[in-house]
């Protein structure tokens, strides 16, 4: 099944013009730019005779086929990070629109309807990443803290309650750029996503003693930043010993008093562990914490523990079958990044298709996926979606 690649690229270009700033692409969650991108999608679908709706938190839906039968859901998001790339999220929504248009144009008789969704607020934000899909999946718990944050964005708890999905869906499909370099390094055109990584994140406060940088001898210092640097190196060494698809990062440091002429007396840092096996992730966590307890005066506080999600084996097989039928190279691959797909794994069968990211770049103005790879990924998605809805 072929797609109109020129139309896909034109639609991506139109989305790319909805941006603030002068570098890369910026459509932050709940911004005027995200609103404009969601309105762009509604307009495109309505112009092509596709019934649309927008729920009370901003998720946009369009459906072809029966109005009340269980549908195949597909989509992604249209918000971006600050000065991000063109393809993250937007490619999945534009490809979903293309699937609707091509199925209408080809006159395919569907046994089940197909529904496209652009989820609101997928990137990190005050309400937490994947907000729109978590609200849709009923994963947001009521609390005074979330109510306060909702009010700051002119939402209320009733809005969140109203968008919780109560329909039956066949499955959810999402095409996304890999955001890494595994496909490119292995010269594969398609990644069949097997799982979405779990996340363990904890905060560490490392204690030393502030003192004058000129009068405190080196052997008498209690330098909290030096201690923190040793912890960072040990984090790297521990996760490398475990191997597999486990990764760990210290990406946030807060140094006190953060003055050029004062030995640091306190450092706050955040350790994040990701992987596809929760037991290994927890073993890595415990080794890191044991090292810290043994060598330093420090306190830790848990921030996040999210188990990995296994994606549907049946949907993976459908993707593999489509790749083989079209002589497209592929490999099975876990996702180290979180996606809207992760929100839905307990609600329906979920599948994801990755296409290559040049040099593994993402969340960056130079994020790039070739037209050829976009075309191949789009045609695999179209075939899988059509097969799922005509079987």
């Amino acid at each position: 099944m072929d797609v109109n690649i020129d139309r896909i690229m034109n639609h991506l270009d139109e989305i790319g013009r909805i941006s603030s700033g002068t570098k890369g692409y910026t459509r932050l969650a709940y911004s005027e730019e995200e609103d404009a991108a969601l309105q762009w999608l509604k307009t495109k679908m309505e112009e092509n005779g596709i019934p649309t709706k927008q729920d009370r938190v901003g998720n946009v839906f369009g459906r072809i086929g029966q109005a009340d039968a269980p549908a195949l859901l597909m989509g992604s998001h249209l918000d971006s990070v600050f000065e991000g790339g063109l393809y993250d999220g937007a490619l999945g929504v534009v490809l979903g629109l293309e699937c609707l248009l091509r199925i209408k144009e080809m006159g395919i008789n569907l046994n089940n309807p197909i529904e496209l969704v652009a989820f609101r607020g997928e990137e990190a934000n005050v309400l937490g990443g994947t907000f729109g899909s978590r609200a849709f999946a009923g994963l947001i718990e009521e609390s005074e803290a979330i109510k306060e944050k909702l009010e700051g964005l002119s939402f209320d708890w009733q809005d969140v309650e109203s968008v919780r999905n109560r329909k039956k869906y066949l499955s959810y499909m999402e095409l996304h750029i890999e955001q890494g370099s595994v496909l490119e390094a292995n010269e594969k055109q398609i990644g069949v996503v097997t799982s979405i990584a779990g996340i363990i994140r904890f905060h560490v406060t490392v204690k030393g003693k502030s003192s004058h940088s000129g009068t405190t001898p080196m052997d008498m210092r209690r330098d909290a930043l030096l201690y923190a640097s040793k912890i960072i190196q040990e984090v790297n060494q521990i996760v490398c010993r475990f191997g597999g698809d486990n990764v760990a990062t210290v990406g946030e440091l807060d140094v006190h008093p953060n003055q050029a002429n004062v030995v640091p007396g306190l450092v706050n840092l955040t350790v994040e562990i990701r992987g596809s096996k929760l037991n290994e992730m927890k073993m890595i966590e415990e080794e890191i914490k044991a090292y810290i307890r043994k060598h330093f005066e420090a306190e830790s506080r848990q921030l996040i523990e999210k188990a990995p999600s296994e994606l549907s084996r049946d949907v993976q097989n459908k993707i593999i079958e489509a790749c083989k039928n079209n002589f497209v190279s592929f490999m099975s691959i876990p996702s180290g990044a979180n996606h809207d797909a992760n929100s839905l794994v307990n609600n329906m069968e979920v599948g994801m298709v990755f296409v290559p990211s040049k040099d593994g770049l993402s969340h960056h103005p130079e994020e790039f996926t070739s037209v050829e790879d976009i075309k191949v990924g789009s045609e695999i998605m179209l075939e899988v979606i059509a097969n799922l809805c005509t079987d």
Side-chain angles (χ1 to χ4, degrees), residues 230-247:
K230 292 180 179 180
I231 291 170
I232 294 167
Q233 292 182 61
E234 188 67 19
V235 167
N236 184 72
Q237 291 172 8
I238 289 171
V239 76
C240 286
R241 285 200 300 271
F242 271 83
D245 59 15
N246 297 294
V247 295

PDB file of all heavy atoms in Angstrom, residues 230-247:
ATOM      1  N   LYS A 230      32.251  11.681  42.431  1.00  0.00           N
ATOM      2  CA  LYS A 230      32.578  10.263  42.612  1.00  0.00           C
ATOM      3  C   LYS A 230      31.316   9.405  42.495  1.00  0.00           C
ATOM      4  O   LYS A 230      31.350   8.304  41.930  1.00  0.00           O
ATOM      5  CB  LYS A 230      33.254  10.052  43.966  1.00  0.00           C
ATOM      6  CG  LYS A 230      34.645  10.689  44.048  1.00  0.00           C
ATOM      7  CD  LYS A 230      35.284  10.467  45.418  1.00  0.00           C
ATOM      8  CE  LYS A 230      36.683  11.094  45.462  1.00  0.00           C
ATOM      9  NZ  LYS A 230      37.331  10.905  46.775  1.00  0.00           N
ATOM     10  N   ILE A 231      30.209   9.918  43.017  1.00  0.00           N
ATOM     11  CA  ILE A 231      28.939   9.197  42.889  1.00  0.00           C
ATOM     12  C   ILE A 231      28.543   9.074  41.421  1.00  0.00           C
ATOM     13  O   ILE A 231      28.121   8.003  40.956  1.00  0.00           O
ATOM     14  CB  ILE A 231      27.841   9.922  43.689  1.00  0.00           C
ATOM     15  CG1 ILE A 231      28.122   9.795  45.186  1.00  0.00           C
ATOM     16  CG2 ILE A 231      26.460   9.353  43.345  1.00  0.00           C
ATOM     17  CD1 ILE A 231      27.238  10.671  46.058  1.00  0.00           C
ATOM     18  N   ILE A 232      28.708  10.154  40.671  1.00  0.00           N
ATOM     19  CA  ILE A 232      28.351  10.139  39.249  1.00  0.00           C
ATOM     20  C   ILE A 232      29.168   9.089  38.500  1.00  0.00           C
ATOM     21  O   ILE A 232      28.642   8.320  37.690  1.00  0.00           O
ATOM     22  CB  ILE A 232      28.552  11.532  38.630  1.00  0.00           C
ATOM     23  CG1 ILE A 232      27.563  12.527  39.244  1.00  0.00           C
ATOM     24  CG2 ILE A 232      28.390  11.494  37.111  1.00  0.00           C
ATOM     25  CD1 ILE A 232      27.878  13.978  38.938  1.00  0.00           C
ATOM     26  N   GLN A 233      30.459   9.027  38.790  1.00  0.00           N
ATOM     27  CA  GLN A 233      31.307   8.033  38.124  1.00  0.00           C
ATOM     28  C   GLN A 233      30.887   6.608  38.519  1.00  0.00           C
ATOM     29  O   GLN A 233      30.879   5.702  37.688  1.00  0.00           O
ATOM     30  CB  GLN A 233      32.766   8.277  38.493  1.00  0.00           C
ATOM     31  CG  GLN A 233      33.320   9.568  37.902  1.00  0.00           C
ATOM     32  CD  GLN A 233      34.790   9.767  38.240  1.00  0.00           C
ATOM     33  OE1 GLN A 233      35.633   8.955  37.875  1.00  0.00           O
ATOM     34  NE2 GLN A 233      35.085  10.838  38.953  1.00  0.00           N
ATOM     35  N   GLU A 234      30.534   6.420  39.782  1.00  0.00           N
ATOM     36  CA  GLU A 234      30.133   5.087  40.229  1.00  0.00           C
ATOM     37  C   GLU A 234      28.808   4.664  39.600  1.00  0.00           C
ATOM     38  O   GLU A 234      28.624   3.489  39.256  1.00  0.00           O
ATOM     39  CB  GLU A 234      30.027   5.063  41.760  1.00  0.00           C
ATOM     40  CG  GLU A 234      29.793   3.685  42.348  1.00  0.00           C
ATOM     41  CD  GLU A 234      30.975   2.738  42.155  1.00  0.00           C
ATOM     42  OE1 GLU A 234      32.099   3.211  41.887  1.00  0.00           O
ATOM     43  OE2 GLU A 234      30.758   1.509  42.283  1.00  0.00           O
ATOM     44  N   VAL A 235      27.883   5.609  39.441  1.00  0.00           N
ATOM     45  CA  VAL A 235      26.629   5.312  38.751  1.00  0.00           C
ATOM     46  C   VAL A 235      26.920   4.748  37.367  1.00  0.00           C
ATOM     47  O   VAL A 235      26.355   3.731  36.947  1.00  0.00           O
ATOM     48  CB  VAL A 235      25.748   6.579  38.642  1.00  0.00           C
ATOM     49  CG1 VAL A 235      24.605   6.368  37.658  1.00  0.00           C
ATOM     50  CG2 VAL A 235      25.202   6.967  40.012  1.00  0.00           C
ATOM     51  N   ASN A 236      27.821   5.395  36.653  1.00  0.00           N
ATOM     52  CA  ASN A 236      28.179   4.953  35.308  1.00  0.00           C
ATOM     53  C   ASN A 236      28.799   3.554  35.336  1.00  0.00           C
ATOM     54  O   ASN A 236      28.454   2.688  34.530  1.00  0.00           O
ATOM     55  CB  ASN A 236      29.152   5.950  34.686  1.00  0.00           C
ATOM     56  CG  ASN A 236      29.489   5.612  33.251  1.00  0.00           C
ATOM     57  OD1 ASN A 236      28.665   5.778  32.366  1.00  0.00           O
ATOM     58  ND2 ASN A 236      30.696   5.121  33.026  1.00  0.00           N
ATOM     59  N   GLN A 237      29.695   3.324  36.276  1.00  0.00           N
ATOM     60  CA  GLN A 237      30.380   2.029  36.341  1.00  0.00           C
ATOM     61  C   GLN A 237      29.413   0.899  36.711  1.00  0.00           C
ATOM     62  O   GLN A 237      29.482  -0.196  36.154  1.00  0.00           O
ATOM     63  CB  GLN A 237      31.531   2.106  37.342  1.00  0.00           C
ATOM     64  CG  GLN A 237      32.672   3.002  36.866  1.00  0.00           C
ATOM     65  CD  GLN A 237      33.732   3.228  37.931  1.00  0.00           C
ATOM     66  OE1 GLN A 237      33.705   2.596  38.986  1.00  0.00           O
ATOM     67  NE2 GLN A 237      34.651   4.141  37.669  1.00  0.00           N
ATOM     68  N   ILE A 238      28.509   1.159  37.642  1.00  0.00           N
ATOM     69  CA  ILE A 238      27.567   0.122  38.071  1.00  0.00           C
ATOM     70  C   ILE A 238      26.663  -0.290  36.919  1.00  0.00           C
ATOM     71  O   ILE A 238      26.479  -1.486  36.650  1.00  0.00           O
ATOM     72  CB  ILE A 238      26.735   0.616  39.272  1.00  0.00           C
ATOM     73  CG1 ILE A 238      27.616   0.685  40.524  1.00  0.00           C
ATOM     74  CG2 ILE A 238      25.536  -0.316  39.517  1.00  0.00           C
ATOM     75  CD1 ILE A 238      26.944   1.358  41.710  1.00  0.00           C
ATOM     76  N   VAL A 239      26.077   0.675  36.220  1.00  0.00           N
ATOM     77  CA  VAL A 239      25.141   0.319  35.151  1.00  0.00           C
ATOM     78  C   VAL A 239      25.871  -0.354  33.991  1.00  0.00           C
ATOM     79  O   VAL A 239      25.318  -1.249  33.337  1.00  0.00           O
ATOM     80  CB  VAL A 239      24.333   1.547  34.691  1.00  0.00           C
ATOM     81  CG1 VAL A 239      25.157   2.475  33.814  1.00  0.00           C
ATOM     82  CG2 VAL A 239      23.056   1.132  33.975  1.00  0.00           C
ATOM     83  N   CYS A 240      27.116   0.023  33.743  1.00  0.00           N
ATOM     84  CA  CYS A 240      27.883  -0.635  32.676  1.00  0.00           C
ATOM     85  C   CYS A 240      28.171  -2.091  33.028  1.00  0.00           C
ATOM     86  O   CYS A 240      28.196  -2.952  32.148  1.00  0.00           O
ATOM     87  CB  CYS A 240      29.189   0.117  32.419  1.00  0.00           C
ATOM     88  SG  CYS A 240      28.975   1.675  31.525  1.00  0.00           S
ATOM     89  N   ARG A 241      28.360  -2.383  34.304  1.00  0.00           N
ATOM     90  CA  ARG A 241      28.588  -3.771  34.718  1.00  0.00           C
ATOM     91  C   ARG A 241      27.349  -4.626  34.473  1.00  0.00           C
ATOM     92  O   ARG A 241      27.446  -5.795  34.116  1.00  0.00           O
ATOM     93  CB  ARG A 241      28.982  -3.841  36.201  1.00  0.00           C
ATOM     94  CG  ARG A 241      30.399  -3.401  36.502  1.00  0.00           C
ATOM     95  CD  ARG A 241      30.875  -3.950  37.842  1.00  0.00           C
ATOM     96  NE  ARG A 241      30.065  -3.516  38.964  1.00  0.00           N
ATOM     97  CZ  ARG A 241      30.282  -2.398  39.657  1.00  0.00           C
ATOM     98  NH1 ARG A 241      31.290  -1.593  39.313  1.00  0.00           N
ATOM     99  NH2 ARG A 241      29.517  -2.085  40.677  1.00  0.00           N
ATOM    100  N   PHE A 242      26.178  -4.053  34.669  1.00  0.00           N
ATOM    101  CA  PHE A 242      24.936  -4.796  34.438  1.00  0.00           C
ATOM    102  C   PHE A 242      24.695  -5.033  32.951  1.00  0.00           C
ATOM    103  O   PHE A 242      24.176  -6.065  32.562  1.00  0.00           O
ATOM    104  CB  PHE A 242      23.749  -4.050  35.048  1.00  0.00           C
ATOM    105  CG  PHE A 242      23.490  -4.427  36.469  1.00  0.00           C
ATOM    106  CD1 PHE A 242      24.209  -3.822  37.494  1.00  0.00           C
ATOM    107  CD2 PHE A 242      22.553  -5.387  36.798  1.00  0.00           C
ATOM    108  CE1 PHE A 242      23.986  -4.165  38.819  1.00  0.00           C
ATOM    109  CE2 PHE A 242      22.324  -5.738  38.114  1.00  0.00           C
ATOM    110  CZ  PHE A 242      23.045  -5.133  39.142  1.00  0.00           C
ATOM    111  N   GLY A 243      25.063  -4.069  32.118  1.00  0.00           N
ATOM    112  CA  GLY A 243      24.902  -4.222  30.672  1.00  0.00           C
ATOM    113  C   GLY A 243      23.444  -4.297  30.261  1.00  0.00           C
ATOM    114  O   GLY A 243      22.563  -3.718  30.881  1.00  0.00           O
ATOM    115  N   GLY A 244      23.171  -5.054  29.198  1.00  0.00           N
ATOM    116  CA  GLY A 244      21.820  -5.136  28.648  1.00  0.00           C
ATOM    117  C   GLY A 244      21.371  -3.784  28.127  1.00  0.00           C
ATOM    118  O   GLY A 244      22.184  -2.994  27.626  1.00  0.00           O
ATOM    119  N   ASP A 245      20.079  -3.504  28.256  1.00  0.00           N
ATOM    120  CA  ASP A 245      19.581  -2.217  27.787  1.00  0.00           C
ATOM    121  C   ASP A 245      19.417  -1.229  28.940  1.00  0.00           C
ATOM    122  O   ASP A 245      18.758  -0.200  28.804  1.00  0.00           O
ATOM    123  CB  ASP A 245      18.263  -2.375  27.026  1.00  0.00           C
ATOM    124  CG  ASP A 245      17.164  -3.011  27.871  1.00  0.00           C
ATOM    125  OD1 ASP A 245      17.311  -3.084  29.108  1.00  0.00           O
ATOM    126  OD2 ASP A 245      16.150  -3.445  27.294  1.00  0.00           O
ATOM    127  N   ASN A 246      20.024  -1.527  30.087  1.00  0.00           N
ATOM    128  CA  ASN A 246      19.966  -0.616  31.225  1.00  0.00           C
ATOM    129  C   ASN A 246      20.810   0.626  30.975  1.00  0.00           C
ATOM    130  O   ASN A 246      21.919   0.530  30.435  1.00  0.00           O
ATOM    131  CB  ASN A 246      20.464  -1.310  32.500  1.00  0.00           C
ATOM    132  CG  ASN A 246      19.604  -2.488  32.886  1.00  0.00           C
ATOM    133  OD1 ASN A 246      18.446  -2.336  33.234  1.00  0.00           O
ATOM    134  ND2 ASN A 246      20.173  -3.699  32.805  1.00  0.00           N
ATOM    135  N   VAL A 247      20.294   1.759  31.371  1.00  0.00           N
ATOM    136  CA  VAL A 247      21.043   3.014  31.297  1.00  0.00           C
ATOM    137  C   VAL A 247      20.788   3.786  32.588  1.00  0.00           C
ATOM    138  O   VAL A 247      19.770   3.606  33.249  1.00  0.00           O
ATOM    139  CB  VAL A 247      20.651   3.877  30.078  1.00  0.00           C
ATOM    140  CG1 VAL A 247      21.008   3.186  28.782  1.00  0.00           C
ATOM    141  CG2 VAL A 247      19.162   4.222  30.104  1.00  0.00           C
TER     142      VAL A 247
END
